[in-house]
Amino acid sequence: MEKKPFNAFEMAQQQFDNVAEKLGLNNPTRELLRNPLREYHFMVPIRMDDGSYQVFKGFRVQHNDARGPCKGGIRFHPHETVDTVRALAMWMTWKCAVVDIPLGGGKGGVICDPHNLSDREQEAICRGWVRQVALNVGPVQDVPAPDVMTHGQHMLWMLDEFERLRGGRFPGFITGKPVGMGGSLGRTEATGYGVIYTVREAMKELGLEIGKTTGAFQGFGNVSQYAVRLFRESGGKAICVSCWDQEDKTSYTFCRESGIDPDELVSITDKFGTINKEKAKKAGYEILPGDAWIEQEADLLVPAALENQVTGANASNIHKRVRVIAEGANGPTTPEADRVIRQRGIFLVPDFLCNAGGVTCSYFEQVQSNMNHYWGKNEVLVQLENKMIAGFKAVSDLASKKNIYMRDAAYMIAISRVADACHLRGWV
Ligand code: NAD
């Protein structure tokens, strides 16, 4: 029999159905929340550099805005599908709700490959995308952000087009803007720091002194680098990171028992994120296979690279010393691995809580942009820490009260908050 292709939206709906059952939600609430509230599908016609015309397909999915304007990225990808965008929009609703920020969930995309497009052509796609949905997005409706293959420059082109159409300055329309052009200080650090804010709380609950713990990290990108930094500043010892090697087309783990130094490693990392193996060896690092990070004798594991990394096949390699797994990446753990982690009593900080520092800081960017008044970095980070700790506490309190897994508790809190908002508004 032919294998059915993976469909992210079906998976997101299944996850939702399981939690809805546990919460005893009524049928109209289930019907409302297992589907997007609104979707926009449109074509974006562009004049190419050679004078020809091409037409790209664009989407914006607004899953739910009962708690506030939708929030979520815009992806440029040649294999984008509306079902992926729907799933990601739904996950954004839960992520915003679990850290209790007053926003809903959205996601958008354009089917295109930016590698084959000039800057001018990409600018035309950004402006064309905004023209198609200008009346349905905005600071009080739906606030986009960068995502796969989009960044600050794309956000500024989109903002500029939106402001031309609406006739004013609306920096709160979009986030991920460069600092000085409406961006927020602290955004670069936010996701990695947020991971460690939750780790500190988890360790407190387990009676672990962070200064006596070691951590193994997968990945050495934005999330991992800042998580390693704050973990070290908090007194912990990071013993490895891993990265993808662009030339060898495989990944490696860089280990040093006396502790790794992120600044030293950044100085020998190229623009593709590959750490130089020879230089690392000279600096006393051991170079191990890519999946060796999971076997390290550490108190903490932080998968912060990709989805599908802790699986049924390798979960048994997790060292017996590991007490906490903090999911910096989205979806790093498969359901089979979840069962092993749960059985072994390892404390899990689930992805949509653990890496919510990024969206929380984007919310702060929107707040600052709407006020047209910008905070210092310290103020941003203090507020971020408060939000992450409150989110963590709510989930861990429910998990211990009901004796349930942290991932289930996080879903139950997020979904019940959104369901409550729909009831209070009188929708269902
Ligand atoms: P990034 O591109 O900056 O870094 C990814 C890192 O993973 C790189 O060091 C890369 O070399 C490494 N890597 C890639 N393939 C690998 C492999 N097979 N084995 C080991 N390492 C590998 O990305 P990022 O922004 O740090 O994001 C990491 C994860 O966190 C993603 O799942 C992303 O969706 C999630 N996330 C990021 C943010 C954010 O604000 N950056 C927010 C929420 C979630």
Side-chain angles (χ1 to χ4, degrees), residues 296-343:
Q296 299 306 306
E297 183 176 348
D299 305 280
L300 166 71
L301 290 184
V302 181
L306 300 171
E307 63 287 342
N308 253 341
Q309 296 300 298
V310 186
T311 64
N314 66 15
S316 56
N317 300 342
I318 296 174
H319 198 278
K320 62 179 185 316
R321 178 164 164 184
V322 173
R323 301 285 305 281
V324 179
I325 298 179
E327 296 182 327
N330 285 320
T333 308
T334 65
E336 298 78 46
D338 254 340
R339 277 193 280 280
V340 177
I341 294 168
R342 198 176 194 159
Q343 245 166 26

Short mmCIF file of all heavy atoms in Angstrom, two decimals, residues 296-343:
data_model
loop_
_atom_site.label_atom_id
_atom_site.label_comp_id
_atom_site.label_asym_id
_atom_site.label_seq_id
_atom_site.Cartn_x
_atom_site.Cartn_y
_atom_site.Cartn_z
N GLN A 296 26.12 12.29 25.85
CA GLN A 296 27.08 12.88 26.80
C GLN A 296 26.60 12.75 28.24
O GLN A 296 25.39 12.80 28.52
CB GLN A 296 27.30 14.36 26.48
CG GLN A 296 27.89 14.60 25.11
CD GLN A 296 29.17 13.81 24.88
OE1 GLN A 296 30.12 13.89 25.66
NE2 GLN A 296 29.18 13.01 23.82
N GLU A 297 27.60 12.60 29.14
CA GLU A 297 27.27 12.53 30.56
C GLU A 297 27.01 13.95 31.04
O GLU A 297 27.94 14.70 31.39
CB GLU A 297 28.44 11.91 31.34
CG GLU A 297 28.09 11.77 32.80
CD GLU A 297 29.17 11.08 33.62
OE1 GLU A 297 30.10 10.49 33.03
OE2 GLU A 297 29.07 11.15 34.85
N ALA A 298 25.73 14.35 31.01
CA ALA A 298 25.37 15.73 31.35
C ALA A 298 24.07 15.70 32.14
O ALA A 298 23.33 14.72 32.11
CB ALA A 298 25.19 16.52 30.07
N ASP A 299 23.82 16.81 32.87
CA ASP A 299 22.55 16.91 33.61
C ASP A 299 21.45 17.44 32.71
O ASP A 299 20.26 17.22 32.95
CB ASP A 299 22.73 17.87 34.79
CG ASP A 299 23.90 17.46 35.67
OD1 ASP A 299 23.71 16.55 36.48
OD2 ASP A 299 25.00 18.03 35.50
N LEU A 300 21.87 18.19 31.68
CA LEU A 300 20.92 18.90 30.82
C LEU A 300 21.21 18.60 29.36
O LEU A 300 22.36 18.65 28.92
CB LEU A 300 21.09 20.42 31.07
CG LEU A 300 20.46 21.38 30.07
CD1 LEU A 300 18.93 21.36 30.20
CD2 LEU A 300 20.98 22.80 30.28
N LEU A 301 20.15 18.32 28.58
CA LEU A 301 20.28 18.22 27.12
C LEU A 301 19.43 19.32 26.50
O LEU A 301 18.27 19.51 26.89
CB LEU A 301 19.74 16.88 26.61
CG LEU A 301 20.51 15.58 26.91
CD1 LEU A 301 19.82 14.41 26.20
CD2 LEU A 301 21.96 15.69 26.48
N VAL A 302 20.01 20.03 25.52
CA VAL A 302 19.26 21.07 24.81
C VAL A 302 19.32 20.80 23.31
O VAL A 302 20.29 21.18 22.64
CB VAL A 302 19.81 22.48 25.13
CG1 VAL A 302 19.00 23.56 24.39
CG2 VAL A 302 19.82 22.75 26.62
N PRO A 303 18.31 20.12 22.73
CA PRO A 303 18.26 20.02 21.28
C PRO A 303 17.85 21.37 20.71
O PRO A 303 16.73 21.84 20.98
CB PRO A 303 17.19 18.95 21.03
CG PRO A 303 16.37 18.89 22.28
CD PRO A 303 17.18 19.45 23.40
N ALA A 304 18.75 22.03 19.97
CA ALA A 304 18.44 23.38 19.46
C ALA A 304 18.88 23.48 18.01
O ALA A 304 19.52 24.46 17.60
CB ALA A 304 19.13 24.43 20.32
N ALA A 305 18.59 22.43 17.21
CA ALA A 305 18.98 22.46 15.80
C ALA A 305 17.77 22.28 14.88
O ALA A 305 17.36 23.21 14.19
CB ALA A 305 20.02 21.39 15.52
N LEU A 306 17.18 21.09 14.94
CA LEU A 306 16.16 20.70 13.95
C LEU A 306 15.05 19.89 14.60
O LEU A 306 15.21 19.42 15.74
CB LEU A 306 16.76 19.76 12.92
CG LEU A 306 17.92 20.18 12.06
CD1 LEU A 306 18.42 18.96 11.30
CD2 LEU A 306 17.45 21.23 11.08
N GLU A 307 14.00 19.59 13.82
CA GLU A 307 12.96 18.69 14.29
C GLU A 307 13.44 17.24 14.17
O GLU A 307 14.42 16.98 13.46
CB GLU A 307 11.65 18.90 13.50
CG GLU A 307 11.69 18.62 12.03
CD GLU A 307 12.44 19.65 11.21
OE1 GLU A 307 12.66 20.77 11.68
OE2 GLU A 307 12.85 19.30 10.09
N ASN A 308 12.75 16.32 14.85
CA ASN A 308 13.00 14.87 14.69
C ASN A 308 14.39 14.41 15.08
O ASN A 308 14.99 13.59 14.39
CB ASN A 308 12.84 14.52 13.19
CG ASN A 308 11.57 13.76 12.97
OD1 ASN A 308 11.02 13.20 13.93
ND2 ASN A 308 11.10 13.74 11.75
N GLN A 309 14.95 14.89 16.17
CA GLN A 309 16.32 14.55 16.54
C GLN A 309 16.40 13.54 17.68
O GLN A 309 17.34 12.78 17.79
CB GLN A 309 17.10 15.82 16.93
CG GLN A 309 17.25 16.78 15.78
CD GLN A 309 17.99 16.15 14.63
OE1 GLN A 309 19.15 15.75 14.76
NE2 GLN A 309 17.32 16.02 13.49
N VAL A 310 15.43 13.57 18.59
CA VAL A 310 15.41 12.60 19.69
C VAL A 310 14.31 11.62 19.32
O VAL A 310 13.13 11.98 19.31
CB VAL A 310 15.12 13.29 21.04
CG1 VAL A 310 15.25 12.30 22.18
CG2 VAL A 310 16.06 14.47 21.26
N THR A 311 14.71 10.41 18.95
CA THR A 311 13.77 9.48 18.33
C THR A 311 13.74 8.16 19.09
O THR A 311 14.54 7.94 20.00
CB THR A 311 14.21 9.17 16.88
OG1 THR A 311 15.47 8.49 16.96
CG2 THR A 311 14.36 10.41 16.05
N GLY A 312 12.83 7.27 18.67
CA GLY A 312 12.77 5.94 19.26
C GLY A 312 14.10 5.21 19.12
O GLY A 312 14.48 4.40 19.96
N ALA A 313 14.84 5.53 18.04
CA ALA A 313 16.10 4.83 17.78
C ALA A 313 17.23 5.29 18.68
O ALA A 313 18.14 4.52 18.97
CB ALA A 313 16.50 5.03 16.31
N ASN A 314 17.23 6.56 19.12
CA ASN A 314 18.39 7.01 19.92
C ASN A 314 18.06 7.42 21.36
O ASN A 314 18.96 7.74 22.14
CB ASN A 314 19.16 8.14 19.20
CG ASN A 314 18.33 9.42 19.06
OD1 ASN A 314 17.31 9.57 19.73
ND2 ASN A 314 18.78 10.33 18.22
N ALA A 315 16.77 7.40 21.73
CA ALA A 315 16.41 7.85 23.09
C ALA A 315 17.08 6.98 24.16
O ALA A 315 17.39 7.47 25.26
CB ALA A 315 14.90 7.85 23.26
N SER A 316 17.33 5.71 23.82
CA SER A 316 17.95 4.83 24.83
C SER A 316 19.42 5.20 25.05
O SER A 316 20.04 4.75 26.01
CB SER A 316 17.83 3.37 24.40
OG SER A 316 18.41 3.23 23.13
N ASN A 317 19.99 6.04 24.15
CA ASN A 317 21.39 6.47 24.34
C ASN A 317 21.51 7.65 25.30
O ASN A 317 22.62 8.08 25.60
CB ASN A 317 22.01 6.90 23.00
CG ASN A 317 22.02 5.77 22.01
OD1 ASN A 317 21.88 4.61 22.39
ND2 ASN A 317 22.18 6.08 20.73
N ILE A 318 20.39 8.20 25.73
CA ILE A 318 20.46 9.34 26.65
C ILE A 318 21.12 8.86 27.95
O ILE A 318 20.69 7.86 28.53
CB ILE A 318 19.05 9.91 26.93
CG1 ILE A 318 18.45 10.48 25.64
CG2 ILE A 318 19.10 11.00 28.02
CD1 ILE A 318 17.00 10.93 25.78
N HIS A 319 22.13 9.57 28.38
CA HIS A 319 22.92 9.16 29.55
C HIS A 319 22.05 9.16 30.81
O HIS A 319 21.15 9.98 30.95
CB HIS A 319 24.10 10.11 29.72
CG HIS A 319 25.17 9.56 30.60
ND1 HIS A 319 25.11 9.61 31.97
CD2 HIS A 319 26.33 8.93 30.31
CE1 HIS A 319 26.18 9.04 32.48
NE2 HIS A 319 26.95 8.62 31.48
N LYS A 320 22.39 8.24 31.75
CA LYS A 320 21.52 8.12 32.94
C LYS A 320 21.63 9.34 33.86
O LYS A 320 20.78 9.55 34.72
CB LYS A 320 21.81 6.82 33.70
CG LYS A 320 23.20 6.66 34.25
CD LYS A 320 23.27 5.33 35.00
CE LYS A 320 24.57 5.05 35.72
NZ LYS A 320 25.81 5.33 35.03
N ARG A 321 22.65 10.16 33.63
CA ARG A 321 22.78 11.37 34.47
C ARG A 321 21.76 12.47 34.08
O ARG A 321 21.47 13.37 34.86
CB ARG A 321 24.21 11.90 34.31
CG ARG A 321 24.46 13.16 35.07
CD ARG A 321 25.93 13.43 35.22
NE ARG A 321 26.17 14.82 35.61
CZ ARG A 321 27.35 15.34 35.72
NH1 ARG A 321 28.42 14.63 35.48
NH2 ARG A 321 27.48 16.61 36.09
N VAL A 322 21.23 12.39 32.84
CA VAL A 322 20.38 13.49 32.35
C VAL A 322 19.11 13.63 33.20
O VAL A 322 18.38 12.68 33.41
CB VAL A 322 20.00 13.26 30.86
CG1 VAL A 322 18.98 14.29 30.40
CG2 VAL A 322 21.26 13.33 29.99
N ARG A 323 18.88 14.87 33.69
CA ARG A 323 17.69 15.14 34.49
C ARG A 323 16.70 16.05 33.77
O ARG A 323 15.50 16.03 34.05
CB ARG A 323 18.10 15.82 35.82
CG ARG A 323 19.06 15.00 36.68
CD ARG A 323 18.39 13.85 37.39
NE ARG A 323 17.24 14.23 38.20
CZ ARG A 323 17.31 14.77 39.41
NH1 ARG A 323 18.49 14.98 39.97
NH2 ARG A 323 16.22 15.07 40.08
N VAL A 324 17.23 16.92 32.88
CA VAL A 324 16.35 17.90 32.20
C VAL A 324 16.62 17.89 30.70
O VAL A 324 17.78 17.86 30.28
CB VAL A 324 16.62 19.34 32.74
CG1 VAL A 324 15.72 20.35 32.03
CG2 VAL A 324 16.45 19.42 34.24
N ILE A 325 15.53 17.90 29.91
CA ILE A 325 15.65 18.13 28.46
C ILE A 325 14.87 19.40 28.15
O ILE A 325 13.67 19.49 28.45
CB ILE A 325 15.11 16.95 27.63
CG1 ILE A 325 15.92 15.68 27.92
CG2 ILE A 325 15.16 17.28 26.13
CD1 ILE A 325 15.45 14.44 27.16
N ALA A 326 15.56 20.39 27.58
CA ALA A 326 14.90 21.66 27.24
C ALA A 326 14.89 21.78 25.72
O ALA A 326 15.95 21.90 25.09
CB ALA A 326 15.65 22.82 27.87
N GLU A 327 13.68 21.76 25.13
CA GLU A 327 13.57 21.73 23.67
C GLU A 327 13.65 23.13 23.07
O GLU A 327 12.65 23.82 22.94
CB GLU A 327 12.23 21.09 23.26
CG GLU A 327 12.13 19.61 23.67
CD GLU A 327 10.83 18.98 23.23
OE1 GLU A 327 9.78 19.68 23.20
OE2 GLU A 327 10.84 17.77 22.93
N GLY A 328 14.87 23.53 22.70
CA GLY A 328 15.08 24.83 22.05
C GLY A 328 14.50 24.82 20.64
O GLY A 328 13.93 25.80 20.19
N ALA A 329 14.65 23.70 19.93
CA ALA A 329 14.14 23.58 18.56
C ALA A 329 12.64 23.31 18.58
O ALA A 329 12.08 22.95 19.62
CB ALA A 329 14.86 22.45 17.84
N ASN A 330 12.01 23.46 17.43
CA ASN A 330 10.60 23.07 17.29
C ASN A 330 10.52 21.60 16.92
O ASN A 330 11.20 21.16 15.99
CB ASN A 330 9.94 23.89 16.17
CG ASN A 330 9.65 25.31 16.61
OD1 ASN A 330 9.24 25.55 17.75
ND2 ASN A 330 9.88 26.27 15.72
N GLY A 331 9.74 20.84 17.67
CA GLY A 331 9.50 19.43 17.34
C GLY A 331 10.72 18.54 17.31
O GLY A 331 10.83 17.67 16.44
N PRO A 332 11.67 18.66 18.26
CA PRO A 332 12.87 17.81 18.19
C PRO A 332 12.62 16.37 18.64
O PRO A 332 13.43 15.50 18.36
CB PRO A 332 13.85 18.50 19.16
CG PRO A 332 12.98 19.18 20.15
CD PRO A 332 11.74 19.61 19.39
N THR A 333 11.48 16.12 19.34
CA THR A 333 11.27 14.81 19.96
C THR A 333 10.09 14.09 19.32
O THR A 333 9.01 14.69 19.19
CB THR A 333 11.00 15.02 21.47
OG1 THR A 333 12.04 15.83 22.00
CG2 THR A 333 10.94 13.71 22.22
N THR A 334 10.28 12.83 18.96
CA THR A 334 9.17 12.07 18.38
C THR A 334 8.31 11.46 19.51
O THR A 334 8.79 11.34 20.64
CB THR A 334 9.69 10.90 17.50
OG1 THR A 334 10.37 9.98 18.36
CG2 THR A 334 10.62 11.38 16.41
N PRO A 335 7.06 11.05 19.20
CA PRO A 335 6.22 10.46 20.24
C PRO A 335 6.85 9.22 20.89
O PRO A 335 6.70 9.01 22.09
CB PRO A 335 4.94 10.09 19.49
CG PRO A 335 4.90 11.01 18.32
CD PRO A 335 6.33 11.28 17.95
N GLU A 336 7.62 8.41 20.12
CA GLU A 336 8.27 7.22 20.70
C GLU A 336 9.29 7.67 21.74
O GLU A 336 9.39 7.07 22.83
CB GLU A 336 9.00 6.38 19.63
CG GLU A 336 8.12 5.80 18.54
CD GLU A 336 7.74 6.84 17.49
OE1 GLU A 336 8.62 7.59 17.04
OE2 GLU A 336 6.54 6.92 17.14
N ALA A 337 10.08 8.68 21.41
CA ALA A 337 11.10 9.17 22.36
C ALA A 337 10.42 9.78 23.58
O ALA A 337 10.89 9.64 24.71
CB ALA A 337 12.00 10.19 21.68
N ASP A 338 9.28 10.45 23.36
CA ASP A 338 8.52 11.02 24.47
C ASP A 338 8.21 9.96 25.53
O ASP A 338 8.32 10.20 26.72
CB ASP A 338 7.19 11.59 23.96
CG ASP A 338 7.19 13.11 23.92
OD1 ASP A 338 8.03 13.73 24.61
OD2 ASP A 338 6.36 13.67 23.20
N ARG A 339 7.81 8.77 25.02
CA ARG A 339 7.46 7.70 25.96
C ARG A 339 8.66 7.31 26.82
O ARG A 339 8.53 7.11 28.03
CB ARG A 339 6.95 6.47 25.19
CG ARG A 339 5.47 6.60 24.83
CD ARG A 339 4.89 5.28 24.35
NE ARG A 339 5.22 5.01 22.95
CZ ARG A 339 4.58 5.55 21.92
NH1 ARG A 339 3.56 6.38 22.12
NH2 ARG A 339 4.93 5.28 20.68
N VAL A 340 9.86 7.23 26.20
CA VAL A 340 11.07 6.87 26.94
C VAL A 340 11.40 7.94 27.98
O VAL A 340 11.69 7.64 29.15
CB VAL A 340 12.27 6.69 25.96
CG1 VAL A 340 13.56 6.38 26.71
CG2 VAL A 340 11.96 5.61 24.94
N ILE A 341 11.33 9.19 27.57
CA ILE A 341 11.68 10.30 28.46
C ILE A 341 10.75 10.32 29.68
O ILE A 341 11.17 10.49 30.83
CB ILE A 341 11.59 11.64 27.68
CG1 ILE A 341 12.65 11.67 26.59
CG2 ILE A 341 11.72 12.84 28.60
CD1 ILE A 341 12.47 12.80 25.57
N ARG A 342 9.49 10.10 29.39
CA ARG A 342 8.47 10.09 30.43
C ARG A 342 8.71 8.95 31.43
O ARG A 342 8.71 9.14 32.64
CB ARG A 342 7.14 9.87 29.73
CG ARG A 342 5.94 10.22 30.49
CD ARG A 342 4.83 10.00 29.50
NE ARG A 342 3.62 10.60 29.96
CZ ARG A 342 2.63 10.92 29.17
NH1 ARG A 342 2.72 10.73 27.88
NH2 ARG A 342 1.54 11.43 29.65
N GLN A 343 8.97 7.75 30.86
CA GLN A 343 9.20 6.57 31.68
C GLN A 343 10.40 6.75 32.61
O GLN A 343 10.39 6.33 33.75
CB GLN A 343 9.51 5.38 30.78
CG GLN A 343 8.48 4.30 30.85
CD GLN A 343 8.68 3.34 29.68
OE1 GLN A 343 9.77 3.19 29.14
NE2 GLN A 343 7.59 2.71 29.28
#
